[in-house]
Amino acid sequence: MKELKKRLQDISHLSSVLALLCWDQEVYMPKKGADRRAASIAELNGIIHNKFLAIDSDGLLTKLKKELDENKLKGKDVVIVTEVWRNFEREKKLPEEFVREIAETVSRAQGVWAEARNKNDFKLFLPWLTKIVKLKRKEAEYIGYEKSPYDALLDACEPGMDSEQALQILNDLKDFLMPFLKEIKDSQKNIKPKILEGKFPLDRQAVFNEMVVSKMGFDMEAGRIDKTTHPFADGLHPNDVRITTRYRLNDALYSLGSVIHEAGHGIYEQGLPVEDFGTPLSESVSLGIHESQSRMWENIIGKSKPFWKYFYPKLQKEFPEPFKKVALDDFLKVINKVAPSLIRTEADEVTYNLHIILRFEIEKEMIEGSIDLKDLPKIWKSKMKEYLGVDVPSDALGVLQDVHWSIGLIGYFPTYAFGNLYSAQFFSKMKKDIPDTDKKMVKGDFVEIKKWLNKKIHAHGKTYKAGELVKKVTGEDLNSRYFIEYLKEKYKKAR
Ligand code: MG
């Protein structure tokens, strides 16, 4: 076990370097560096892949797996060997040439996608998407699956989940959301987001953002915030977590919302156990659980009245214009306004999941080969009309809006919706464990919330699968009920 841990730690150094290269690519790298960086990233990916497979070159892992099967391992060692073996089996199935091909393809496709979106030209992206879908289907074949090739890809993002279960959970959610949206839509029409517009110097927004995330418990001495086109969080190590944001001069909440979201991811990364770093005991459970942390802070906490009872006077003081003349209740109505729109990343809590369900349905069919990729713009438009009642004026604002497919992330979208469901289920339990959560928030005391998340979720690393963790923490399997209750309660006056 000692030798296995040493080998894993060696690899984790390379993974931290890879994370840094990817972070730099978005934050500082000059445009012309793109091709070289893509090649470097592909090379490093290949090296990590090989080094990981070499763990078993002398049969060390196989020997430990045998001991695991014979119940000779105990405690943490069981988790480490189980998880490493699971990964190993998966990686072993992918030939090195294939790993390089996919890394280089997606790295170049990203640029084509950006150009296609700028030029509103889906045809430009189509050959690349075709190539990516073909490669991802091949990946599913290499890995193996029982029912749908989509299962193999979904399992990589949300281990333990298959498309049948995903379909059931998301269909339940869709059955609630579509009529609910119709019910509350009209009451939202008179809410005017314009009342929160102003002129907010970016450096002062940055200072305010930092104050908020520090209060939440994001450790600025073990992390930093930078500016990128698309916000993300990137954990190099629990003591070095990078988050990013983007700004709008006239909208202070645009950046703040994304910072709260990414800090939620960041607090998770900082909360992983340092002493086990490099092993699965210090890795996040799944993308869905990761997203539950960001969405809980961003929405359930960060758009709640108790949260803003504390922060709103500070916002008013920092930016008297326009907030001094806007009452807290009106402010809350605006930040919680429900309005069907074109862009997923800017969607409210109600419509957001319909954007996800649309993508899930499409990508599942893409991988199963039951739709012709050249029909995607048409399919996108008709689903947007059906689910959200929105007319899509262009592919740039439609099928080309998200980066995911261009970087080979297929099976990823549903984890965003799972994140929302997990977050509501966890939060409901947290409120039972900490009955005065609201009162604490009003006082600006977020310490216990963070500690609860640290203890119940972060500290376990990958000890439990997502399905096991949610059951352990909340006593129930993942379901849409808590999220639905949460929305009903939040918008009860609107109905
Ligand atoms: Mg996120």
Side-chain angles (χ1 to χ4, degrees):
M1 280 309 298
K2 209 171 143 194
E3 176 59 24
L4 176 66
K5 284 182 206 163
K6 192 194 161 288
R7 290 179 192 181
L8 290 173
Q9 253 134 30
D10 288 349
I11 296 169
S12 77
H13 286 292
L14 296 179
S15 303
S16 294
V17 172
L18 180 62
L20 186 64
L21 283 184
C22 294
W23 171 84
D24 173 78
Q25 185 177 31
E26 304 302 320
V27 177
Y28 285 124
M29 188 192 75
K31 203 173 153 204
K32 286 185 178 170
D35 281 350
R36 172 66 186 177
R37 182 60 53 89
S40 302
I41 287 173
E43 181 67 22
L44 191 50
N45 262 316
I47 292 171
I48 291 173
H49 174 74
N50 282 343
K51 217 169 153 64
F52 184 65
L53 291 184
I55 277 185
D56 201 39
S57 56
D58 56 358
L60 173 73
L61 186 62
T62 305
K63 192 172 151 249
L64 288 166
K65 169 73 165 105
K66 197 164 165 273
E67 288 182 16
L68 174 76
D69 292 340
E70 291 164 354
N71 288 321
K72 286 182 184 157
L73 298 182
K74 285 198 181 65
K76 289 180 169 188
D77 293 350
V78 173
V79 179
I80 294 175
V81 175
T82 305
E83 274 306 311
V84 173
W85 181 260
R86 205 179 72 85
N87 247 332
F88 180 75
E89 283 247 274
R90 200 180 162 96
E91 294 266 319
K92 207 172 53 174
K93 290 174 181 165
L94 302 177
E96 194 197 332
E97 259 319 294
F98 177 79
V99 174
R100 277 175 204 265
E101 190 186 357
I102 208 162
E104 209 162 342
T105 303
V106 300
S107 167
R108 294 181 51 207
Q110 218 175 327
V112 180
W113 162 77
E115 198 190 337
R117 191 175 66 157
N118 284 341
K119 292 183 176 162
N120 187 33
D121 184 0
F122 178 72
K123 282 203 187 81
L124 193 65
F125 181 52
L126 183 59
W128 286 88
L129 183 64
T130 307
K131 201 173 169 193
I132 289 169
V133 169
K134 217 172 127 194
L135 285 168
K136 295 304 279 188
R137 220 177 276 152
K138 208 164 156 191
E139 184 180 320
E141 296 301 331
Y142 279 133
I143 290 163
Y145 55 85
E146 276 177 29
K147 288 179 187 154
S148 161
Y150 189 75
D151 290 346
L153 305 180
L154 179 61
D155 188 72
C157 301
E158 201 63 16
M161 179 79 79
D162 63 25
S163 47
E164 216 170 83
Q165 197 190 351
L167 198 64
Q168 198 221 313
I169 294 173
L170 296 179
N171 274 344
D172 280 352
L173 189 59
K174 186 166 125 185
D175 288 346
F176 163 76
L177 288 175
M178 285 175 62
F180 184 72
L181 178 60
K182 285 206 180 87
E183 226 178 285
I184 63 168
K185 214 161 64 177
D186 286 340
S187 71
Q188 304 288 301
K189 278 191 179 136
N190 292 326
I191 299 170
K192 300 268 182 280
K194 265 206 161 332
I195 60 170
L196 303 188
E197 282 182 13
K199 210 176 158 192
F200 312 104
L202 305 193
D203 52 340
R204 279 170 57 204
Q205 287 192 46
V207 171
F208 194 82
N209 289 348
E210 220 171 275
M211 183 274 293
V212 173
V213 300
S214 298
K215 266 280 170 197
M216 286 163 52
F218 181 75
D219 180 357
M220 287 298 296
E221 286 184 4
R224 46 180 295 131
I225 309 175
D226 292 276
K227 201 179 124 195
T228 50
T229 319
H230 303 285
F232 62 85
D234 191 358
L236 278 61
H237 180 272
N239 288 330
D240 187 353
V241 178
R242 316 291 174 97
I243 63 177
T244 71
T245 185
R246 73 276 194 255
Y247 296 93
R248 273 181 192 155
L249 185 63
N250 68 343
D251 181 359
L253 281 320
Y254 181 70
S255 177
L256 181 61
S258 81
V259 165
I260 296 175
H261 177 99
E262 300 308 336
H265 285 302
I267 288 169
Y268 188 0
E269 291 288 322
Q270 289 181 343
L272 292 166
V274 175
E275 64 278 13
D276 295 315
F277 188 72
T279 78
L281 293 165
S282 185
E283 284 168 17
S284 59
V285 181
S286 69
L287 292 171
I289 297 291
H290 224 307
E291 192 69 4
S292 78
Q293 302 304 289
S294 57
R295 297 292 279 184
M296 185 187 293
W297 283 106
E298 178 193 4
N299 292 325
I300 300 181
I301 297 172
K303 288 181 181 163
S304 72
K305 192 164 182 173
F307 180 91
W308 281 105
K309 266 195 168 165
Y310 177 74
F311 283 112
Y312 198 53
K314 294 183 166 44
L315 188 70
Q316 288 176 312
K317 197 171 165 221
E318 183 63 30
F319 303 113
E321 186 56 42
F323 298 113
K324 266 273 186 260
K325 57 179 195 283
V326 179
L328 175 60
D329 281 337
D330 294 328
F331 170 84
L332 287 167
K333 271 186 197 154
V334 172
I335 65 171
N336 287 296
K337 177 177 175 161
V338 175
S341 63
L342 292 162
I343 304 296
R344 172 187 65 88
T345 54
E346 292 168 24
D348 57 79
E349 283 177 275
V350 175
T351 58
Y352 185 87
N353 295 291
L354 290 168
H355 284 273
I356 297 302
I357 290 165
L358 173 152
R359 285 156 178 75
F360 163 68
E361 291 171 352
I362 291 178
E363 66 177 20
K364 188 168 170 290
E365 290 198 65
M366 254 166 34
I367 288 298
E368 289 171 351
S370 50
I371 48 176
D372 193 336
L373 296 179
K374 70 175 184 331
D375 295 333
L376 280 188
K378 213 170 65 197
I379 296 169
W380 187 281
K381 284 175 183 165
S382 98
K383 279 187 189 275
M384 280 298 284
K385 186 76 188 170
E386 188 192 345
Y387 299 172
L388 290 153
V390 166
D391 291 304
V392 178
S394 69
D395 292 338
L397 296 169
V399 67
L400 287 172
Q401 69 180 263
D402 283 310
V403 70
H404 299 61
W405 293 337
S406 80
I407 47 178
L409 295 178
I410 298 177
Y412 192 113
F413 277 123
T415 68
Y416 289 127
F418 301 151
N420 291 325
L421 304 182
Y422 287 128
S423 73
Q425 203 165 325
F426 285 142
F427 193 72
S428 158
K429 176 69 170 104
M430 184 207 285
K431 281 192 111 172
K432 283 183 193 125
D433 290 351
I434 316 170
D436 55 348
T437 307
D438 284 356
K439 277 190 201 144
K440 287 207 159 74
M441 282 202 259
V442 172
K443 282 189 238 149
D445 176 4
F446 298 91
V447 176
E448 265 191 67
I449 293 180
K450 183 186 161 258
K451 273 192 185 157
W452 190 93
L453 294 170
N454 282 155
K455 186 174 157 219
K456 300 278 180 178
I457 295 161
H458 311 164
H460 301 304
K462 265 194 164 65
T463 302
Y464 307 102
K465 282 207 171 131
E468 295 164 354
L469 182 72
V470 75
K471 188 133 197 190
K472 182 180 153 68
V473 175
T474 71
E476 277 179 61
D477 290 327
L478 176 66
N479 63 74
S480 54
R481 221 176 54 239
Y482 291 93
F483 184 70
I484 289 172
E485 285 310 313
Y486 159 74
L487 287 185
K488 280 186 183 166
E489 174 64 26
K490 188 164 195 168
Y491 293 99
K492 66 180 174 206
K493 281 189 195 142
R495 299 169 80 196

